[in-house]
Short mmCIF file of all heavy atoms in Angstrom, two decimals:
data_model
loop_
_atom_site.label_atom_id
_atom_site.label_comp_id
_atom_site.label_asym_id
_atom_site.label_seq_id
_atom_site.Cartn_x
_atom_site.Cartn_y
_atom_site.Cartn_z
N GLY A 612 -1.31 -28.19 4.77
CA GLY A 612 -0.04 -28.37 4.07
C GLY A 612 -0.11 -28.14 2.57
O GLY A 612 0.93 -28.09 1.90
N VAL A 613 -1.30 -27.96 2.04
CA VAL A 613 -1.48 -27.81 0.60
C VAL A 613 -0.88 -26.51 0.07
O VAL A 613 -0.21 -26.49 -0.97
CB VAL A 613 -2.98 -27.91 0.22
CG1 VAL A 613 -3.22 -27.46 -1.22
CG2 VAL A 613 -3.47 -29.34 0.42
N LEU A 614 -1.10 -25.41 0.79
CA LEU A 614 -0.66 -24.10 0.27
C LEU A 614 0.86 -24.02 0.17
O LEU A 614 1.41 -23.56 -0.83
CB LEU A 614 -1.20 -22.98 1.16
CG LEU A 614 -2.73 -22.85 1.23
CD1 LEU A 614 -3.13 -21.64 2.07
CD2 LEU A 614 -3.34 -22.75 -0.17
N GLY A 615 1.55 -24.45 1.22
CA GLY A 615 3.01 -24.42 1.18
C GLY A 615 3.58 -25.36 0.15
O GLY A 615 4.58 -25.06 -0.51
N THR A 616 2.96 -26.53 0.01
CA THR A 616 3.42 -27.50 -0.99
C THR A 616 3.22 -26.95 -2.40
O THR A 616 4.08 -27.11 -3.27
CB THR A 616 2.67 -28.84 -0.82
OG1 THR A 616 2.88 -29.32 0.51
CG2 THR A 616 3.15 -29.88 -1.81
N ASN A 617 2.10 -26.28 -2.63
CA ASN A 617 1.86 -25.68 -3.94
C ASN A 617 2.86 -24.57 -4.24
O ASN A 617 3.27 -24.38 -5.38
CB ASN A 617 0.43 -25.13 -4.01
CG ASN A 617 0.10 -24.60 -5.39
OD1 ASN A 617 0.14 -25.34 -6.37
ND2 ASN A 617 -0.22 -23.32 -5.49
N PHE A 618 3.25 -23.83 -3.20
CA PHE A 618 4.24 -22.77 -3.37
C PHE A 618 5.53 -23.34 -3.95
O PHE A 618 6.14 -22.76 -4.85
CB PHE A 618 4.52 -22.10 -2.03
CG PHE A 618 5.58 -21.03 -2.07
CD1 PHE A 618 5.27 -19.74 -2.49
CD2 PHE A 618 6.90 -21.32 -1.71
CE1 PHE A 618 6.25 -18.75 -2.55
CE2 PHE A 618 7.88 -20.34 -1.76
CZ PHE A 618 7.55 -19.05 -2.17
N VAL A 619 5.92 -24.50 -3.47
CA VAL A 619 7.14 -25.14 -3.98
C VAL A 619 6.92 -25.69 -5.38
O VAL A 619 7.79 -25.58 -6.25
CB VAL A 619 7.61 -26.25 -3.02
CG1 VAL A 619 8.77 -27.04 -3.61
CG2 VAL A 619 8.02 -25.64 -1.69
N ALA A 620 5.75 -26.26 -5.64
CA ALA A 620 5.46 -26.78 -6.98
C ALA A 620 5.55 -25.68 -8.03
O ALA A 620 5.91 -25.94 -9.18
CB ALA A 620 4.08 -27.42 -6.99
N MET A 621 5.22 -24.45 -7.63
CA MET A 621 5.22 -23.32 -8.57
C MET A 621 6.55 -22.58 -8.61
O MET A 621 6.74 -21.67 -9.41
CB MET A 621 4.11 -22.33 -8.18
CG MET A 621 2.71 -22.93 -8.19
SD MET A 621 2.17 -23.42 -9.84
CE MET A 621 1.96 -21.78 -10.58
N ALA A 622 7.49 -22.96 -7.75
CA ALA A 622 8.76 -22.23 -7.64
C ALA A 622 9.69 -22.56 -8.81
O ALA A 622 9.51 -23.54 -9.54
CB ALA A 622 9.45 -22.58 -6.33
N LYS A 623 10.70 -21.73 -8.98
CA LYS A 623 11.71 -21.95 -10.02
C LYS A 623 12.45 -23.26 -9.72
O LYS A 623 12.90 -23.48 -8.59
CB LYS A 623 12.70 -20.78 -10.03
CG LYS A 623 13.71 -20.84 -11.16
CD LYS A 623 14.61 -19.60 -11.12
CE LYS A 623 15.65 -19.66 -12.23
NZ LYS A 623 16.55 -18.47 -12.19
N PRO A 624 12.60 -24.14 -10.71
CA PRO A 624 13.23 -25.44 -10.47
C PRO A 624 14.76 -25.38 -10.47
O PRO A 624 15.42 -25.97 -11.34
CB PRO A 624 12.70 -26.30 -11.63
CG PRO A 624 12.50 -25.32 -12.74
CD PRO A 624 12.05 -24.04 -12.09
N ASP A 625 15.31 -24.66 -9.50
CA ASP A 625 16.76 -24.48 -9.46
C ASP A 625 17.39 -25.04 -8.19
O ASP A 625 18.59 -24.90 -7.96
CB ASP A 625 17.11 -22.99 -9.59
CG ASP A 625 16.46 -22.12 -8.52
OD1 ASP A 625 15.83 -22.70 -7.60
OD2 ASP A 625 16.59 -20.88 -8.59
N GLY A 626 16.56 -25.71 -7.35
CA GLY A 626 17.08 -26.32 -6.14
C GLY A 626 17.14 -25.39 -4.95
O GLY A 626 17.46 -25.84 -3.84
N TYR A 627 16.80 -24.12 -5.14
CA TYR A 627 16.91 -23.16 -4.04
C TYR A 627 15.60 -22.98 -3.27
O TYR A 627 15.57 -22.27 -2.28
CB TYR A 627 17.42 -21.82 -4.55
CG TYR A 627 18.89 -21.87 -4.92
CD1 TYR A 627 19.29 -22.00 -6.25
CD2 TYR A 627 19.88 -21.84 -3.94
CE1 TYR A 627 20.63 -22.08 -6.60
CE2 TYR A 627 21.22 -21.92 -4.27
CZ TYR A 627 21.60 -22.04 -5.60
OH TYR A 627 22.93 -22.13 -5.93
N THR A 628 14.53 -23.61 -3.75
CA THR A 628 13.27 -23.63 -3.01
C THR A 628 12.78 -25.07 -2.97
O THR A 628 12.41 -25.64 -4.00
CB THR A 628 12.19 -22.74 -3.67
OG1 THR A 628 12.69 -21.40 -3.77
CG2 THR A 628 10.92 -22.73 -2.84
N ILE A 629 12.82 -25.67 -1.78
CA ILE A 629 12.40 -27.05 -1.60
C ILE A 629 11.47 -27.10 -0.39
O ILE A 629 11.23 -26.09 0.26
CB ILE A 629 13.62 -27.99 -1.40
CG1 ILE A 629 14.45 -27.55 -0.19
CG2 ILE A 629 14.48 -28.00 -2.66
CD1 ILE A 629 15.62 -28.47 0.12
N ALA A 630 10.94 -28.27 -0.11
CA ALA A 630 10.03 -28.40 1.04
C ALA A 630 10.22 -29.73 1.73
O ALA A 630 10.67 -30.71 1.12
CB ALA A 630 8.58 -28.27 0.58
N VAL A 631 9.87 -29.76 3.00
CA VAL A 631 9.61 -31.02 3.69
C VAL A 631 8.10 -31.05 3.91
O VAL A 631 7.57 -30.35 4.77
CB VAL A 631 10.37 -31.12 5.02
CG1 VAL A 631 9.92 -32.37 5.78
CG2 VAL A 631 11.87 -31.20 4.78
N SER A 632 7.42 -31.82 3.06
CA SER A 632 5.97 -31.88 3.11
C SER A 632 5.52 -33.20 3.73
O SER A 632 6.34 -34.03 4.13
CB SER A 632 5.38 -31.68 1.71
OG SER A 632 3.99 -31.44 1.79
N SER A 633 4.20 -33.40 3.78
CA SER A 633 3.66 -34.52 4.55
C SER A 633 2.84 -35.47 3.70
O SER A 633 2.46 -35.19 2.56
CB SER A 633 2.77 -33.96 5.65
OG SER A 633 1.62 -33.36 5.07
N ALA A 634 2.50 -36.61 4.32
CA ALA A 634 1.63 -37.59 3.66
C ALA A 634 0.29 -36.94 3.29
O ALA A 634 -0.25 -37.21 2.22
CB ALA A 634 1.40 -38.77 4.60
N GLY A 635 -0.21 -36.09 4.17
CA GLY A 635 -1.50 -35.45 3.90
C GLY A 635 -1.48 -34.63 2.63
O GLY A 635 -2.34 -34.79 1.76
N ALA A 636 -0.49 -33.75 2.51
CA ALA A 636 -0.44 -32.84 1.36
C ALA A 636 -0.03 -33.56 0.08
O ALA A 636 -0.48 -33.19 -1.01
CB ALA A 636 0.53 -31.70 1.64
N LEU A 637 0.81 -34.59 0.20
CA LEU A 637 1.34 -35.25 -0.99
C LEU A 637 0.52 -36.44 -1.46
O LEU A 637 0.46 -36.72 -2.66
CB LEU A 637 2.78 -35.70 -0.73
CG LEU A 637 3.80 -34.57 -0.50
CD1 LEU A 637 5.14 -35.16 -0.09
CD2 LEU A 637 3.95 -33.70 -1.73
N ALA A 638 -0.12 -37.15 -0.54
CA ALA A 638 -0.80 -38.39 -0.92
C ALA A 638 -2.30 -38.42 -0.66
O ALA A 638 -3.02 -39.18 -1.31
CB ALA A 638 -0.15 -39.58 -0.20
N ILE A 639 -2.77 -37.60 0.30
CA ILE A 639 -4.19 -37.69 0.69
C ILE A 639 -5.03 -36.54 0.15
O ILE A 639 -6.07 -36.75 -0.47
CB ILE A 639 -4.32 -37.79 2.22
CG1 ILE A 639 -3.68 -39.08 2.72
CG2 ILE A 639 -5.79 -37.72 2.65
CD1 ILE A 639 -3.62 -39.20 4.23
N SER A 640 -4.58 -35.31 0.37
CA SER A 640 -5.37 -34.13 -0.02
C SER A 640 -5.78 -34.13 -1.50
O SER A 640 -6.90 -33.73 -1.83
CB SER A 640 -4.62 -32.84 0.31
OG SER A 640 -4.59 -32.64 1.70
N PRO A 641 -4.90 -34.58 -2.42
CA PRO A 641 -5.32 -34.60 -3.83
C PRO A 641 -6.55 -35.47 -4.09
O PRO A 641 -7.23 -35.29 -5.11
CB PRO A 641 -4.08 -35.15 -4.55
CG PRO A 641 -2.94 -34.70 -3.71
CD PRO A 641 -3.45 -34.85 -2.29
N HIS A 642 -6.85 -36.43 -3.20
CA HIS A 642 -8.06 -37.25 -3.34
C HIS A 642 -9.27 -36.60 -2.69
O HIS A 642 -10.40 -36.96 -3.00
CB HIS A 642 -7.84 -38.62 -2.68
CG HIS A 642 -6.79 -39.44 -3.31
ND1 HIS A 642 -6.82 -39.84 -4.63
CD2 HIS A 642 -5.64 -39.96 -2.80
CE1 HIS A 642 -5.75 -40.56 -4.90
NE2 HIS A 642 -5.02 -40.64 -3.81
N MET A 643 -9.02 -35.66 -1.76
CA MET A 643 -10.09 -35.12 -0.94
C MET A 643 -10.59 -33.76 -1.40
O MET A 643 -11.71 -33.38 -1.11
CB MET A 643 -9.61 -35.00 0.52
CG MET A 643 -9.25 -36.32 1.18
SD MET A 643 -10.64 -37.45 1.35
CE MET A 643 -11.76 -36.47 2.32
N GLU A 644 -9.74 -33.02 -2.10
CA GLU A 644 -10.11 -31.66 -2.50
C GLU A 644 -9.37 -31.28 -3.77
O GLU A 644 -8.44 -31.96 -4.19
CB GLU A 644 -9.75 -30.68 -1.37
CG GLU A 644 -8.27 -30.72 -0.99
CD GLU A 644 -7.95 -29.87 0.22
OE1 GLU A 644 -8.18 -28.66 0.14
OE2 GLU A 644 -7.46 -30.42 1.22
#
């Protein structure tokens, strides 16, 4: 889930690119890698 979540983090902040991401990508992976 990291790659897709990062794609949204890097997108233009205009509301037209959003995500439904997960606990893993948002809360766990940043501690693991």
Side-chain angles (χ1 to χ4, degrees):
V613 167
L614 297 184
T616 302
N617 185 60
F618 177 82
V619 173
M621 301 294 290
K623 186 178 179 181
D625 57 6
Y627 288 100
T628 303
I629 58 177
V631 172
S632 193
S633 67
L637 295 173
I639 296 174
S640 289
H642 296 301
M643 297 296 301
E644 57 186 299

